[in-house]
Amino acid sequence: MKARDLMVPVNAFLMPGDSLEEFSKNIRIIRSWEKTCGIRSLPVLDAGGKLVGILSMYDILKAVYPSYLYKTDLSLFTWDGMLESLATKIIGMKVGDLMTKAVITVKDDHPLMECVDHMLKNRISTLPVVDHDGKLLGLIFESDVFFAVSDALYGGRP
Amino acid sequence: MSPQTAFWVATAIFILAYALIVSEKIHKTIVALMGAALMIVLGIVTQEDALHSPELGVDWNVIFLLFSMMVIINIMRPTGIFEYIAVKSAKFAKGKPFMIMVVFSVVTAVISAFLDNVTTVLLIAPVTLLICQALDLDVVPYLITEALASNIGGTATLIGDPPNIMIASKAGLDFMAFLNNLAPVVVVILIAYVITLKFIFGNKLTVKENLRQRIMAMDENEAIKDPVLIKKSLFVLAITMTGFVLHGMLHMEPATIALFGAALLLLISGIKEPHHILSEVEWTTLFFFIGLFIIIGGVVKVGLIGLMSAKVLELTQGNLFATSMVVMWFSAFASAFIDNIPYVATMNPLIIDMAKQLWPNLQGTALLHHPDLMPLWWSLALGACLGGNGTAIGASANVIIVGMAEKMGRPISFKKFMLYGMPLMIESVIIATIYVWLRYYVFMI
């Protein structure tokens, strides 16, 4: 199978100037609509429809998480309410401020193994699929790739 | 190459390399290695000189001492001992904001006296950030005061700060000599520092009572990850420190003691694969030293350093008190703006050359430890170490702190750092000046 066989058409996206609330709302809507679960990110397109970034739940949590906890084991000493109070520091930030700008993409006619490679090496769960001109065609989700593996082993989905 | 040409080629490499290091356009380690390679390729020094000559080559004593201490720290870091100390300190200060500043500064200074300053700051700063967040305090004054304290503390011992390690190795001075001559004045400087902090911050910092409970609720024992390894590490650290105290008597270089400590801890720590411990050694810093030593070897060989030392003596007319004062204050301001490592690497041979001009009949220890020369070594150490506090780029610990603050969204501008750093640096150098004058020129002890 190739990337285009598994990709899901883009039915929701953000613009760099959107508020972060827009992201939360959209993520919730998609979860209730789509059969596939585990959508964690949304593509960010500019006015011309060009892919300029991707915003994930991870990006938002990382913006709230204090960097000094990274290399230490100090989370033992955090307190109730700390996360909520630090969350306020991203109030007013826009999608464009927190999105990942260097987006890893895959070409639509490339094999699935390449998709898995990108997902594992970069720890991402959503991979935008683009054509040879760089135009966004759809998204591949980690869960769909997993089901492809599962199907290969045990046949079609129940 | 004629000696004349060699002189100008070596001088050009030296000036260009230092200019590039100061400009930060190219990473300093790359510059140092390129400069070193050119010195050898162009035949200013031979490879034999560069790698094996005690006078012109790499000072392996410095490299192995730094390397070994890095290994020891890399093994100790994940045990949780440093987090334990920091949380315990915050609780000892009862969560009171100014007390926390004082206790953290003193703890940082004491740890810095025995470990590398950057390591100390990297260990203490994350806890400081957490504590300040818990108490809803501005973290900037705390970070700056800790960086300053680490540079003050590092001045106290042979292993506290790279300039001291370099001076000790070149001048053949032992751990106890540093402790006897520098630690007393560092204690005075630290006390003066804390009193000054009281004036600056004493009444400005307040904290809500309920927030203090967050600190008191922390259980430092939870930080301990590997109690067995902590015991082993402290055991090895105790042996190493004893070795440092005795190394003069044992006729061993500090690098030998440290290497033994590092190897012993690797052996008994139960680490099966030392790869990650060794890969976390700061090789970039070590190779920066290696490159610099070779560059300096080149300019020593062609006589540039000799020329410079003659000029300094001409300026001070051979008056050693004046020379030591010039050395201390010039070192302080030079180190505030440029890396004190290349600075001291240049000053060491310069002072040795000066000694040769003053006492042409002496050599070896008789020359390097000439009673009239000793205050110069101490002035160089005090000036170069304390001077680092002057600006945000004066010492590596400052650079780390500024970087951390920026990541936290609380950038510390060059000006802001200097506003605290420069007056406190000048205060410390004034105290050091009075100390050197009283101890070596009035009481002569």
Side-chain angles (χ1 to χ4, degrees):
Chain A
M1 265 198 282
K2 291 189 188 311
R4 64 169 160 255
D5 303 320
L6 271 192
M7 73 183 185
V8 177
V10 178
N11 45 31
F13 63 89
L14 301 166
M15 310 269 278
D18 286 343
S19 70
L20 295 176
E21 199 181 354
E22 215 51 43
F23 173 80
S24 301
K25 273 194 214 157
N26 270 296
I27 280 280
R28 277 178 201 180
I29 293 168
I30 292 177
R31 278 184 73 131
S32 54
W33 275 8
E34 267 291 331
K35 272 174 281 172
T36 45
C37 59
I39 293 174
R40 293 161 173 276
S41 44
L42 286 175
V44 185
L45 307 182
D46 67 8
K50 198 173 146 260
L51 180 69
V52 290
I54 191 159
L55 182 66
S56 70
M57 295 181 183
Y58 174 82
D59 293 322
I60 304 228
L61 291 181
K62 208 178 129 193
V64 168
Y65 175 80
S67 53
Y68 59 82
L69 290 180
Y70 255 118
K71 287 194 170 174
T72 62
D73 288 318
L74 292 172
S75 58
L76 292 164
F77 301 115
T78 53
W79 52 94
D80 194 10
M82 183 186 181
L83 181 70
E84 295 88 332
S85 97
L86 280 183
T88 56
K89 78 178 180 192
I90 61 167
I91 283 183
M93 284 197 185
K94 302 285 182 206
V95 167
D97 299 327
L98 294 186
M99 69 183 187
T100 303
K101 287 179 184 123
V103 190
I104 295 152
T105 58
V106 67
K107 299 272 176 351
D108 62 330
D109 56 352
H110 284 202
L112 281 187
M113 188 55 94
E114 188 188 326
C115 302
V116 175
D117 182 70
H118 290 315
M119 286 175 176
L120 294 182
K121 284 188 182 150
N122 304 295
R123 298 187 183 185
I124 49 177
S125 61
T126 314
L127 196 59
V129 182
V130 293
D131 65 12
H132 281 262
D133 300 322
K135 193 172 160 267
L136 180 66
L137 301 174
L139 301 170
I140 287 200
F141 298 107
E142 188 183 35
S143 46
D144 289 327
V145 183
F146 164 75
F147 286 123
V149 172
S150 174
D151 291 352
L153 283 172
Y154 313 114
R157 278 193 232 180
Chain B
M1 209 185 288
S2 73
Q4 190 93 33
T5 324
F7 177 87
W8 288 112
V9 170
T11 305
I13 297 174
F14 171 78
I15 293 176
L16 202 63
Y18 275 47
L20 279 171
I21 290 170
V22 171
S23 79
E24 294 179 352
K25 289 262 189 291
I26 304 175
H27 192 284
K28 61 181 184 180
T29 302
I30 300 176
V31 175
L33 288 177
M34 191 65 217
L38 284 177
M39 286 286 184
I40 305 173
V41 169
L42 297 175
I44 307 293
V45 290
T46 62
Q47 180 172 310
E48 179 68 21
D49 289 336
L51 300 184
H52 302 290
S53 154
E55 255 186 51
L56 302 174
V58 176
D59 192 337
W60 296 107
N61 195 28
V62 171
I63 304 295
F64 272 88
L65 179 52
L66 288 168
F67 164 83
S68 307
M69 294 309 285
M70 288 174 187
V71 168
I72 294 176
I73 297 305
N74 288 350
I75 297 176
M76 286 183 79
R77 201 193 313 240
T79 59
I81 173 100
F82 298 107
E83 284 89 349
Y84 173 87
I85 294 173
V87 172
K88 184 112 184 147
S89 307
K91 283 175 73 174
F92 174 77
K94 304 220 159 41
K96 289 179 190 157
F98 180 68
M99 271 309 281
I100 290 183
M101 181 178 273
V102 172
V103 173
F104 273 30
S105 292
V106 172
V107 167
T108 307
V110 172
I111 298 181
S112 290
F114 299 99
L115 306 181
D116 166 46
N117 296 350
V118 170
T119 312
T120 310
V121 162
L122 280 175
L123 294 167
I124 299 290
V127 187
T128 310
L129 292 164
L130 183 80
I131 300 283
C132 286
Q133 204 126 54
L135 295 173
D136 200 13
L137 285 167
D138 181 10
V139 72
V140 170
Y142 288 84
L143 288 179
I144 295 180
T145 52
E146 278 169 25
L148 301 181
S150 91
N151 294 324
I152 294 175
T155 314
T157 69
L158 186 158
I159 52 169
D161 213 357
N164 288 359
I165 298 178
M166 295 162 84
I167 293 168
S169 186
K170 270 284 176 214
L173 293 164
D174 66 14
F175 190 84
M176 287 314 285
F178 274 82
L179 209 60
N180 285 333
N181 289 281
L182 297 184
V185 63
V186 168
V187 171
V188 177
I189 290 171
L190 193 64
I191 293 170
Y193 175 67
V194 169
I195 294 171
T196 315
L197 292 185
K198 176 81 186 158
F199 280 111
I200 305 175
F201 298 106
N203 304 318
K204 279 193 197 157
L205 308 163
T206 50
V207 113
K208 285 194 197 110
E209 189 54 35
N210 59 329
L211 297 182
R212 276 177 51 197
Q213 292 313 313
R214 283 181 181 164
I215 306 296
M216 301 320 283
M218 292 177 179
D219 180 4
E220 65 274 17
N221 294 312
E222 282 189 59
I224 303 285
K225 290 280 174 308
D226 192 339
V228 179
L229 189 53
I230 289 182
K231 282 190 194 123
K232 288 176 181 172
S233 310
L234 292 178
F235 167 70
V236 169
L237 217 50
I239 291 184
T240 312
M241 289 305 151
T242 315
F244 282 141
V245 170
L246 300 176
H247 83 95
M249 276 188 257
L250 298 170
H251 301 292
M252 282 182 196
E253 291 288 349
T256 312
I257 306 286
L259 182 63
F260 178 74
L264 182 64
L265 188 53
L266 274 170
L267 184 70
I268 65 172
S269 64
I271 291 167
K272 294 208 172 55
E273 187 42 75
H275 178 81
H276 71 280
I277 300 290
L278 294 179
S279 69
E280 279 170 28
V281 166
E282 290 159 53
W283 294 108
T284 5
T285 308
L286 296 184
F287 277 92
F288 177 55
F289 276 96
I290 289 175
L292 275 178
F293 284 134
I294 298 175
I295 295 178
I296 298 296
V299 287
V300 169
K301 196 170 176 183
V302 299
L304 175 67
I305 298 290
L307 203 72
M308 283 160 67
S309 70
K311 283 269 176 268
V312 177
L313 280 181
E314 208 179 289
L315 193 79
T316 57
Q317 296 171 341
N319 176 335
L320 284 173
F321 173 66
T323 312
S324 79
M325 288 302 114
V326 168
V327 165
M328 187 184 312
W329 283 89
F330 184 76
S331 302
F333 280 94
S335 300
F337 292 95
I338 66 166
D339 197 336
N340 58 16
I341 292 165
Y343 173 76
V344 172
T346 320
M347 286 303 284
N348 275 339
L350 196 143
I351 290 185
I352 293 173
D353 203 273
M354 229 186 258
K356 281 181 188 159
Q357 295 185 32
L358 287 167
W359 306 288
N361 301 324
L362 297 177
Q363 52 184 327
T365 319
L367 178 73
L368 295 176
H369 295 184
H370 192 289
D372 292 344
L373 188 69
M374 294 310 289
L376 251 70
W377 292 123
W378 306 130
S379 299
L380 174 62
L382 288 165
C385 292
L386 297 172
N389 274 342
T391 71
I393 53 161
S396 330
N398 309 0
V399 177
I400 299 277
I401 282 293
V402 169
M404 276 196 178
E406 188 159 5
K407 260 195 195 157
M408 286 295 292
R410 297 282 298 120
I412 303 171
S413 68
F414 193 82
K415 224 166 143 185
K416 172 138 192 169
F417 192 99
M418 211 158 136
L419 204 64
Y420 293 107
M422 194 50 94
L424 285 162
M425 180 271 259
I426 292 174
E427 174 191 83
S428 66
V429 182
I430 289 174
I431 296 173
T433 303
I434 296 171
Y435 169 80
V436 166
W437 174 63
L438 283 179
R439 177 158 179 179
Y440 305 107
Y441 297 97
V442 176
F443 297 109
M444 299 204 254
I445 37 175

